[in-house]
């Protein structure tokens, strides 16, 4: 850090993203991307005419995108805020609904970025440990007076919380905001979106990075009551009014409108996940019950770090977290069937060496 | 604001961007966009193969982009941070170099977004008025102990500060950071980039929104010593690691490499600006001396608001600011020659009605 850095920036806890080698030499199963290209409708949407208009600012309200999202989720555009990935949307939410006298609670084992964002806004954080089996019990949050953030399904465990449990949280205290981060919801968990009209203290965030094959397009969004969305806009217009670029607006609107492609991709991932879990269990892995596009698995004979290293040496990238409680695990993205077959082959070879 | 909003978000001062009608029914001279499409190299860079890779995250380090920018400015990649527009880069800089004990100073008449960002991070702000003729004198900043932000050329005045003046500021106190916002530098002002190797407390921000016809692509960047850039990265990785999407990385890298197109576009704007200033003066306007791709002008017989309204009624959008000292003025983007001819025709008609 330089000698000019502010005290506030010194205290930050920057996030370390998964490795992003740009040369495509790996079977890349480390950052939960989709193995499928974006919808053909996205290819059509990013056309010559759109590119020629890049000299003009994007629509700060992202109307084409928020309207397309609203249509898909049977909401109104005023229930939607679009962002440069859901990371940005989450940052807006942390600023909008947390601060002095409004602490934030999240799990000990969850998306690592929450800690970074809490540090960015210097928030009081209450860490509420998952149970022994990595499940989240909403009872552990009932008495917490501040804002609650729950990744559902959770990362990196993949374990989902039933919608009814979130509903109990919402009802227990309407004076606090519950943020449900549904980045991975499209692979089998129950979305809280149908409860948005009923609970004005519910904010759901989603992303097009996983189920809609747009990680590189950076399109995320928040869904909630118009009051919550207006607060998020207040932050957005203090940070970056033109936060979503023209091509991402076009790509996101096209992607969210292609229901058939979305259904086919998510079904394929679920099927491949079931196959992968079976194979991993045959190899002696313990696999947490995942509703996401990844699985979290450990092997009694090899520590997570060794698995990660040996797989990497053999051309397969998975994610290993050097963190308490999960050091034994590796997180494996569910890619294409072919990629998972390679993974299983490599794991088989690694275990045979033992 | 909702009943859940944080105190900090309540205190924000959200920025109001210029109107962005999406239907192209206006001659749009209100947000300082380029009238020219992006470089043909950008069209080539955003191709089918790139779009098909949108399922993969963008490179968080934006290496292809920062390296292209570094090449253009004879710097190293470690001197460059890329962002989702220079607004984002500026936000990172406000957080990195301002805070408790580190106030920030900027002019009373300058880019309105600085106030929003200062409020976002709850900074102590010292407003230093421009002189009577809207020039900025660095002597007025000499004794200020905190971080200084200077838009050069300034917006919405268009008036530039000589590089030597900035150099005096940098030398007067190496313990403070001077941020020079060069969003409009390519239309005639002296850039401070050549001083980056010499002054490690100098941070320059630039954008591809104006001179490189990529407003809709959202590509901005900061140039500075590796120490300052590392601090900005600390903030970036606390806010949004994948802040620039794949297509904007590709577009930005292609745009900054097309020197001939850049030179042609900026030369055309300067020529059209000279013509426009002459015509406006013939019509009785007082025009501030602009080094930007816009002019700031007032007419003794019509208030700024009236000019703005009448032009809008006649299909020409310019920007009017309802703010002290500049209420008499309108800010007119320098568009294509044809657009400026329309503007002059409409102004002539409006003034003939008097």
């Amino acid at each position: 850090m330089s000698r000019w850095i502010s005290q506030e920036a010194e205290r930050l806890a920057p996030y370390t993203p998964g490795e992003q080698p740009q040369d495509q030499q790996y079977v890349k199963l480390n950052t939960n991307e989709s193995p499928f290209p974006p919808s053909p409708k996205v290819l059509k949407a990013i056309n010559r005419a759109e590119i020629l208009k890049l000299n003009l600012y994007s629509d700060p309200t992202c109307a084409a995108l928020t309207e397309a999202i609203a249509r898909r989720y049977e909401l109104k555009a005023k229930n939607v805020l679009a962002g440069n990935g859901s990371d940005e949307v989450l940052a807006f939410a942390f600023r909008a609904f947390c601060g002095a006298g409004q602490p934030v609670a999240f799990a000990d084992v969850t998306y690592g970025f929450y800690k970074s964002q809490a540090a960015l806004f210097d928030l009081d954080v209450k860490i509420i440990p998952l149970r022994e089996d990595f499940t989240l019990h909403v009872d552990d949050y009932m008495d917490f007076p501040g804002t609650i953030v729950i990744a559902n399904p959770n990362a990196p465990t993949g374990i989902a919380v039933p919608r009814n449990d979130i509903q109990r949280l919402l009802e227990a205290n309407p004076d606090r905001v519950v943020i449900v981060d549904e980045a991975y919801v499209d692979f089998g968990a129950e979305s809280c979106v149908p409860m948005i009209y009923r609970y004005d203290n519910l904010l759901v965030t989603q992303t097009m990075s996983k189920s809609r094959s747009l990680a590189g397009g950076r399109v995320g969004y928040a869904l909630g009551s118009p009051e919550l969305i207006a607060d998020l806009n207040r932050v957005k217009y203090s940070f970056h009014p033109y936060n979503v670029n023209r091509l991402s607006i076009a790509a996101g609107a096209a992607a969210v409108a292609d229901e058939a492609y979305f259904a086919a991709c998510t079904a394929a991932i679920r099927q491949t996940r079931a196959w992968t879990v079976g194979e991993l269990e045959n190899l002696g892995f313990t696999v947490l019950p995942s509703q996401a596009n990844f699985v979290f698995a450990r092997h009694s004979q090899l520590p997570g770090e060794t698995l990660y290293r040996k797989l990497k040496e053999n051309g397969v990238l998975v994610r290993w977290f050097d963190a308490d409680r999960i050091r034994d695990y590796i997180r494996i993205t569910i890619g294409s069937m072919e990629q998972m077959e390679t993974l299983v082959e490599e794991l088989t070879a690694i275990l045979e060496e033992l």
Side-chain angles (χ1 to χ4, degrees), chain A:
Chain A
M1 282 175 281
S2 83
R3 61 199 177 92
W4 303 279
I5 200 165
S6 66
Q7 292 173 27
E8 292 85 352
E10 206 175 335
R11 282 195 302 257
L12 293 177
Y15 179 72
T16 307
E19 296 157 274
Q20 296 292 2
Q22 295 299 302
D23 49 10
Q24 300 192 297
Q25 61 174 314
Y26 290 102
V27 174
K28 199 169 172 303
L29 304 175
N30 69 327
T31 54
N32 301 338
E33 290 142 329
S34 169
F36 307 113
S39 152
K41 289 192 199 302
V42 170
L43 263 164
K44 267 198 180 165
I46 304 177
N47 53 39
R48 190 182 159 83
E50 280 301 314
I51 299 170
L52 285 174
K53 279 190 280 188
L54 282 178
N55 60 311
L56 301 177
Y57 278 100
S58 48
D59 172 13
T61 71
C62 306
L65 178 57
T66 56
E67 282 161 18
I69 294 167
R71 254 191 311 278
R72 165 60 174 80
Y73 291 99
E74 297 178 2
L75 295 166
K76 308 231 184 282
K78 66 185 175 185
N79 297 113
V80 185
L81 175 117
N84 185 31
S86 62
D87 284 347
E88 185 183 75
V89 170
L90 283 164
F92 294 165
F94 271 79
R95 174 67 302 163
F97 307 118
C98 311
Q102 266 169 295
V104 62
F106 46 81
D108 59 338
V109 176
T110 191
Y111 184 29
F113 201 52
Y114 302 153
K115 266 188 197 164
S116 302
Q117 297 193 317
L120 180 61
F121 300 116
D122 200 17
L123 304 178
D124 289 330
V125 177
K126 165 117 175 150
I127 298 291
I128 299 183
L130 298 178
R131 299 293 175 96
E132 187 64 31
D133 62 355
F134 292 112
T135 57
L136 183 149
H137 287 221
V138 295
D139 299 313
D140 302 340
Y141 291 77
M142 279 299 167
D143 299 330
F144 181 72
T147 297
I148 294 169
V149 184
I150 294 177
N152 189 36
N154 196 14
T157 64
I159 298 173
V161 178
R163 177 160 57 210
N164 285 347
D165 283 7
I166 307 277
Q167 188 170 12
R168 282 171 50 218
L169 261 187
L170 291 162
E171 287 185 349
N173 181 356
D175 291 331
R176 72 181 166 200
V177 174
V178 177
I179 300 170
V180 185
D181 175 357
E182 295 189 348
Y184 299 103
V185 79
D186 296 321
F187 305 99
E190 291 177 317
S191 173
C192 288
V193 172
M195 302 199 295
I196 282 174
Y197 279 126
R198 196 151 157 205
Y199 301 101
D200 55 6
N201 56 330
L202 165 64
L203 190 79
V204 176
T205 62
Q206 294 196 353
T207 175
M208 298 208 192
S209 295
K210 319 295 177 182
S211 55
R212 298 189 193 272
S213 302
L214 282 181
R218 316 305 305 121
V219 185
Y221 47 97
L223 307 172
S225 61
E227 294 79 6
L228 295 185
I229 297 299
D231 290 348
L232 292 181
N233 269 309
R234 196 172 168 78
V235 179
K236 164 185 152 145
Y237 283 98
S238 299
F239 177 77
H240 189 187
Y242 301 104
N243 61 330
V244 189
N245 70 89
R246 270 186 176 268
L247 300 182
S248 294
I249 289 174
V256 79
D258 194 347
E259 195 62 25
Y261 190 76
F262 166 82
C265 291
T266 50
I269 296 293
R270 291 171 71 162
Q271 205 168 356
T272 309
R273 182 179 66 204
W275 180 86
T276 306
V277 170
E279 294 294 315
L280 290 172
E281 287 176 346
N282 286 346
L283 289 171
F285 279 89
T286 302
V287 187
L288 297 188
S290 170
Q291 301 298 331
N293 70 336
F294 56 82
V295 292
F296 208 45
R298 70 180 160 84
H299 199 279
S300 53
Q301 291 171 275
L302 279 178
E305 186 176 11
T306 310
L307 281 166
Y308 157 74
R309 293 235 165 112
K310 282 186 179 283
L311 281 170
K312 189 172 176 182
E313 282 165 21
N314 290 287
V316 179
L317 267 189
V318 299
R319 187 114 194 236
W320 171 69
F321 298 91
D322 187 10
D324 285 347
R325 294 189 70 183
I326 56 172
R327 214 165 262 118
D328 287 346
Y329 288 78
I330 52 174
R331 192 192 67 187
I332 306 166
T333 302
I334 303 298
S336 66
M337 202 51 207
E338 196 191 345
Q339 289 177 313
M340 303 325 280
E341 281 167 358
T342 305
L343 168 87
V344 170
E345 278 164 31
E346 296 299 340
L347 283 174
T348 306
I350 289 165
L351 292 166
E352 274 169 3
E353 276 174 23
L354 292 181

